[in-house]
Amino acid sequence: GENVEQHPSTLSVQEGDSAVIKCTYSDSASNYFPWYKQELGKRPQLIIDIRSNVGEKKDQRIAVTLNKTAKHFSLHITETQPEDSAVYFCAASIGGAAGNKLTFGGGTRVLVKP
Amino acid sequence: GAVVSQHPSRVICKSGTSVKIECRSLDFQATTMFWYRQFPKQSLMLMATSNEGSKATYEQGVEKDKFLINHASLTLSTLTVTSAHPEDSSFYICSAAPRGSGELFFGEGSRLTVL
């Protein structure tokens, strides 16, 4: 089955700096890659996603890149703010839609220091 | 966005008892719902896929007789942890996606503590 690796497991950045989280996946058939933000004790919330027919997607301070050949994708957060502090999860699925089974990465705990 | 609701949000039970957790899609129909378990400071691990009107599909290593899943309607799936033990203590989260939607929505999660 699919295996998703995520790095780093923790990331501490100064407010205003950028944060980058990287994920690799094993199944070349995967074609949908969402990113979720989870605050302590809360449900995961989708922040951005990308499909395999696109190499990059941006939404304000958040961007995601996908390299299908290398089977890795990355989340970039620019101009980080304290409210960006949370755990971020990458995921992958086959089928191109959120309604298909997702395999999650191990998570990255991001701390933005004021 | 679509809303997925779970109940209860917290439950404490004695070892050996059974606990039922409900997952509802409030404003859409869900033929498929997913149940995840999350241990402290760990990732979400898929336990099973709940299919309306048919048997759930369990992930490898998940005991189907221990974690009973019922998806009797297009808006409700239930997870029953049978004969719960302290090692079953965890955060259980369900999710579902409206048909044709590009987003998977999660319930609030249910924190189970087995004493």
Side-chain angles (χ1 to χ4, degrees), chain A residues 15 37 39 61 81-86 88 112:
Chain A
E15 182 178 359
K37 176 183 180 182
E39 297 178 2
R61 296 188 295 109
Q81 301 167 4
E83 52 264 38
D84 294 329
S85 296
Y88 292 80
V112 180

Side-chain angles (χ1 to χ4, degrees), chain A:
Chain A
E2 174 68 281
N3 183 50
V4 179
E5 300 281 343
Q6 184 171 345
H7 298 280
S9 57
T10 59
L11 180 60
S12 181
V13 297
Q14 207 65 41
E15 182 178 359
D17 289 349
S18 295
V20 180
I21 303 170
K22 299 182 179 181
C23 288
T24 60
Y25 60 99
S26 61
D27 194 334
S28 57
S30 289
N31 53 10
Y32 175 67
F33 307 93
W35 286 87
Y36 290 87
K37 176 183 180 182
Q38 186 180 30
E39 297 178 2
L40 189 63
K42 301 285 184 63
R43 73 185 88 192
Q45 301 269 15
L46 179 73
I47 55 172
I48 196 167
D49 58 10
I50 191 168
R51 288 179 169 76
S52 58
N53 58 346
V54 176
E56 184 174 357
K57 184 177 179 181
K58 189 174 181 180
D59 182 4
Q60 298 182 334
R61 296 188 295 109
I62 295 173
V64 58
T65 59
L66 171 65
N67 184 326
K68 284 183 60 180
T69 303
K71 288 189 285 188
H72 69 69
F73 55 114
S74 301
L75 177 72
H76 304 252
I77 307 174
T78 58
E79 300 172 30
T80 54
Q81 301 167 4
E83 52 264 38
D84 294 329
S85 296
V87 179
Y88 292 80
F89 293 98
C90 63
S93 80
I94 300 170
N100 299 102
K101 187 171 73 171
L102 287 174
T103 300
F104 283 84
T108 298
R109 189 171 300 274
V110 175
L111 174 63
V112 180
K113 294 182 284 187

Side-chain angles (χ1 to χ4, degrees), chain B residues 55-68:
Chain B
K55 291 182 179 180
T57 304
Y58 290 82
E59 294 301 301
Q60 191 173 10
V62 178
E63 300 174 59
K64 62 180 180 181
D65 294 330
K66 174 134 183 96
F67 299 100
L68 300 179

Side-chain angles (χ1 to χ4, degrees), chain A residues 32 36 38 41-46 49 51 89 97-107 109, chain B residues 4 32 34 36 38 41-44 46 49 59 91 93 97 101-104 106-109 111:
Chain A
Y32 175 67
Y36 290 87
Q38 186 180 30
K42 301 285 184 63
R43 73 185 88 192
Q45 301 269 15
L46 179 73
D49 58 10
R51 288 179 169 76
F89 293 98
N100 299 102
K101 187 171 73 171
L102 287 174
T103 300
F104 283 84
R109 189 171 300 274
Chain B
V4 176
T32 301
F34 301 96
Y36 291 86
Q38 187 176 32
K41 297 186 178 181
Q42 294 190 25
S43 187
L44 292 90
L46 181 66
T49 302
E59 294 301 301
F91 194 51
I93 313 178
S101 168
E103 183 172 350
L104 187 68
F106 285 86
E108 308 94 317
R111 186 165 301 283

Side-chain angles (χ1 to χ4, degrees), chain B residues 17-66:
Chain B
T17 60
S18 294
V19 174
K20 181 186 284 188
I21 300 169
E22 294 185 346
C23 178
R24 294 181 185 273
S25 55
L26 298 185
D27 51 1
F28 66 97
Q29 295 182 331
T31 55
T32 301
M33 290 184 174
F34 301 96
W35 285 96
Y36 291 86
R37 181 165 60 182
Q38 187 176 32
F39 291 109
K41 297 186 178 181
Q42 294 190 25
S43 187
L44 292 90
M45 299 301 296
L46 181 66
M47 299 175 65
T49 302
S50 174
N51 304 298
E52 188 269 334
S54 65
K55 291 182 179 180
T57 304
Y58 290 82
E59 294 301 301
Q60 191 173 10
V62 178
E63 300 174 59
K64 62 180 180 181
D65 294 330
K66 174 134 183 96

